Amino acid sequence: MKVVFHEDFYQVYTSDPASAGGRMEAIVDAIKSHVVFIIAEPASEADVGIAHTKAHINHVRQIGLYPISALAAGGAVQAATIALSEPSFALIRPPGHHASAASSWGFCYFNNMAIALEVLKAQKKINSAYVLDIDLHYGDGTVNILGHKDWVTIHNIKAYDRYAYLDEITKEMDRCRSDIIGISAGFDNHEDDWGGVLKTEDYLETGRKVRDAAIRNGGGCFGILEGGYNHRVLGSNVMALIDGLSGK
């Protein structure tokens, strides 16, 4: 699988769990022998502006986080574009699903998923999209930006029981009818992370279900890194999802 990444994502860009040192290294170490890395390129300000106000973009620039945030957004656009022909994953930082059009919180600055899907729609590469948010935390920013648009379906997993969680994904993928499926891939619901719900093999199964739905729809699928804070298990969890999306 192609994984969009840049060494700039190793940097500790702010003092929060999402940018803690060693986080990206743990993932790269786990997946590097199994994937093909594509170097991320920054999104243009015009692309960022599809999802965010000028005032918010200027705010991110003023706090010194525009370059890394634009690079993450660009990586998401690349992954979504690759997904039109093969499954892909955006290994990017900062995360994005708590970023709304004019504000952000939760370690997010630009909404990577919203920007990626809006760019594809503007380029007429898709007519419809589905966002499956598997993070422990509700992706309010994605809902705020895309939730009112009739060409996007967004589902945040609600279950707090392992089997109910997987059943919810199964039911959602069974009813999904979209040109592209994007996973807001948070891994903080793992049994050894904040949520304490899922096992590593559950991410493999999630990837498989998303891939199967994409194949049935004749469309694409991709993942974008969101949460996940236990470095000891994060790499294996990401690898499991990648394997599932790859059909392994």
Side-chain angles (χ1 to χ4, degrees):
M1 177 186 281
K2 291 176 181 173
V3 173
V4 183
F5 177 69
H6 197 288
E7 290 188 354
D8 282 359
F9 296 138
Y10 286 135
Q11 67 180 277
V12 178
Y13 52 86
T14 187
S15 57
D16 60 56
S19 69
R23 188 169 194 271
M24 301 303 275
E25 289 88 341
I27 300 173
V28 171
D29 285 348
I31 72 174
K32 62 185 178 183
S33 299
H34 307 279
V35 304
V36 175
F37 287 110
I38 304 297
I39 299 175
E41 299 177 359
S44 67
E45 186 166 337
D47 284 349
V48 175
I50 292 178
H52 294 285
T53 65
K54 182 69 173 179
H56 181 66
I57 293 171
N58 286 340
H59 168 71
V60 175
R61 182 176 283 113
Q62 287 165 5
I63 62 176
L65 293 175
Y66 181 88
I68 191 67
S69 299
L71 185 62
V77 173
Q78 288 170 262
T81 303
I82 292 168
L84 296 173
S85 57
E86 59 184 292
S88 63
F89 190 82
L91 183 57
I92 56 178
R93 290 283 87 188
H97 74 154
H98 294 309
S100 296
S103 62
S104 61
W105 69 286
F107 323 137
C108 302
Y109 303 96
F110 294 150
N111 195 302
N112 304 315
M113 180 66 75
I115 292 168
L117 296 180
E118 289 276 26
V119 168
L120 291 192
K121 186 69 163 58
Q123 294 174 346
K124 303 186 185 304
K125 293 179 178 178
I126 59 170
N127 292 314
S128 60
Y130 185 105
V131 178
L132 179 67
D133 195 320
I134 64 172
D135 195 273
L136 171 64
H137 307 96
Y138 185 79
D140 58 306
T142 308
V143 172
N144 290 342
I145 295 173
L146 298 177
H148 64 286
K149 302 194 174 185
D150 60 7
W151 58 274
V152 185
T153 299
I154 304 170
H155 186 81
N156 285 264
I157 300 297
K158 302 176 180 66
Y160 293 98
D161 170 81
R162 180 190 177 203
Y163 297 104
Y165 190 104
L166 294 173
D167 185 58
E168 190 173 331
I169 291 175
T170 298
K171 290 177 179 177
E172 283 299 311
M173 290 299 97
D174 284 348
R175 65 171 63 103
C176 175
R177 298 291 186 274
S178 295
D179 295 332
I180 195 166
I181 304 171
I183 307 173
S184 278
F187 297 90
D188 41 0
N189 248 320
H190 188 263
E191 60 185 353
D192 294 325
D193 211 309
W194 293 355
V197 175
L198 301 176
K199 295 184 179 296
T200 297
E201 57 262 34
D202 297 334
Y203 294 108
L204 176 70
E205 186 65 17
T206 296
R208 286 173 175 166
K209 291 179 186 298
V210 170
R211 175 187 171 89
D212 289 347
I215 291 173
R216 185 194 67 235
N217 294 336
C221 58
F222 67 105
I224 290 177
L225 183 65
E226 300 283 2
Y229 307 104
N230 185 340
H231 299 179
R232 183 176 58 81
V233 297
L234 183 56
S236 58
N237 291 337
V238 173
M239 188 72 251
L241 184 69
I242 286 173
D243 277 344
L245 288 172
S246 300
K248 296 182 181 178

